[in-house]
Amino acid sequence: MSTVSPRAGLAVGIDIGGTKIAAGVVDSEGHVLTRRDASTPVGDRQSLVDAIIALARDLATEHPVEAVGVGVAGLVDREGETVRFAAHLPFRDEPLRGVVAMALGLPVVIDNDANAGGWAETRFGAARGAQDAVFVAIGTGIGGAIIIDGGLRRGWQGASGEIGHLIVERDGRPCPCGSRGCWEQYGSGRALVRAAEEAGLDVPHGAAVTEAATAGDERARQVLGDIGGWVGVGIAGLVAVLDPEVVVIGGGVSAAGDLLLEPTRDSFRTYLTAQGRRPEPPILLTSLGPDAGLIGAADLARVSLGEA
């Protein structure tokens, strides 16, 4: 059993992805004290709910946690009660907060996973201290979080931050959202794999493209450069609208490091409005890596209790 004081403000953070659930106990400084991972149950909402509760309960037996935060790859209502829709999870109008809270007997906060990641980066990571920031989560698709005046911008219905569905190409590639030409069809992990296949690379996933590029494969480097170019286009649009202090790139594709970041920055400078006439916000890689989502979910839960 842990010897940490209950006054330490510990919370459980759970990050639910399409294939994996990451959970951990997080302290008030953003440190992950204990971590658990599990495969995401597919097709059965009850199995997924049970897995969330089991992970949280297991962690709560080891540490005196005060609250639980859950980040979900989907649309969460403004009140943080219901997961309205999750493309890769079996949640449709799922009243997740109430179900988990009743099972655990603890305060529970539900939010979008990218919101959680962006919150973590501004609290403890690459954007720490920034009052206005944008977090771009590049995984299978593109998600995002918008921080304004030190708080998350959730929008009228809680759907703010769906930046991957900005249209960057009129009548472009079809997107699962039902539209065409969405940013994530050109600058995401899915787009990376497609571009690699078109370049003649035999790669099962985006990480393999990064591995090949790191090993010196020029085709893989070119593919990452092209994807970075599209990422820069989208970020230039976000900066024109939001004027953030800093932009942080996270998600699985960010593991490509400078192979992605350098072409992103070059493209950003090319497309940024008033080029050369305004300060450019830095574009940085996540400093919290794959733990950003669970750290942010836990901290949002802790902050909801009124703890700074």
Side-chain angles (χ1 to χ4, degrees):
M1 292 291 291
S2 169
T3 59
V4 178
S5 165
R7 294 186 295 276
L10 302 183
V12 171
I14 300 178
D15 184 11
I16 308 172
T19 59
K20 185 181 75 172
I21 305 173
V25 175
V26 182
D27 69 13
S28 60
E29 296 298 318
H31 302 127
V32 181
L33 306 184
T34 304
R35 181 182 172 120
R36 298 279 191 278
D37 291 324
S39 297
T40 303
V42 295
D44 180 355
R45 51 124 348 236
Q46 188 60 54
S47 294
L48 180 51
V49 170
D50 290 345
I52 295 166
I53 293 169
L55 282 167
R57 184 174 286 142
D58 180 38
L59 290 166
T61 63
E62 295 187 22
H63 296 271
V65 302
E66 300 176 343
V68 175
V70 182
V72 184
L75 293 176
V76 178
D77 68 0
R78 185 180 175 86
E79 293 73 28
E81 295 282 345
T82 303
V83 182
R84 290 181 168 172
F85 175 75
H88 303 292
L89 300 171
F91 285 156
R92 303 293 185 271
D93 293 320
E94 177 69 34
L96 189 61
R97 192 205 68 78
V99 172
V100 176
M102 181 174 293
L104 297 174
L106 288 168
V108 173
V109 168
I110 307 292
D111 212 325
N112 173 266
D113 61 340
N115 276 349
W119 179 257
E121 291 292 344
T122 58
R123 289 275 288 170
F124 311 112
R128 185 167 187 165
Q131 291 295 296
D132 297 274
V134 174
F135 178 63
V136 181
I138 308 176
T140 303
I142 297 178
I146 299 167
I147 308 294
I148 297 177
D149 294 333
L152 278 168
R153 172 62 181 173
R154 292 188 172 86
W156 172 44
Q157 299 184 60
S160 179
E162 291 296 316
I163 59 177
H165 300 288
L166 293 170
I167 305 301
V168 296
E169 187 79 11
R170 181 180 177 183
D171 298 325
R173 293 170 180 158
C175 181
C177 77
S179 190
R180 302 182 70 92
C182 292
W183 185 23
E184 69 175 40
Q185 292 305 308
Y186 299 87
S188 66
R190 183 184 293 112
L192 176 62
V193 172
R194 179 174 54 235
E197 291 173 345
E198 291 172 353
L201 291 167
D202 182 15
V203 289
H205 46 67
V209 182
T210 298
E211 290 169 5
T214 302
D217 189 303
E218 287 302 322
R219 292 175 300 172
R221 285 175 173 267
Q222 181 61 52
V223 166
L224 276 169
D226 291 344
I227 295 299
W230 280 108
V231 173
V233 167
I235 291 176
L238 293 171
V239 170
V241 173
L242 298 169
D243 190 27
E245 297 172 57
V246 59
V247 177
V248 179
I249 298 177
V253 178
S254 68
D258 286 342
L259 291 170
L260 176 76
L261 196 59
E262 289 180 3
T264 293
R265 287 170 171 163
D266 289 343
S267 174
F268 167 73
R269 294 187 184 103
T270 298
Y271 291 97
L272 178 64
T273 183
Q275 179 185 9
R277 300 289 181 177
R278 60 182 294 171
E280 297 177 4
I283 301 175
L284 307 175
L285 291 174
T286 170
S287 65
L288 300 176
D291 283 343
L294 75 87
I295 291 172
D299 195 63
L300 285 168
R302 195 179 58 77
V303 169
S304 75
L305 300 177
E307 300 178 11

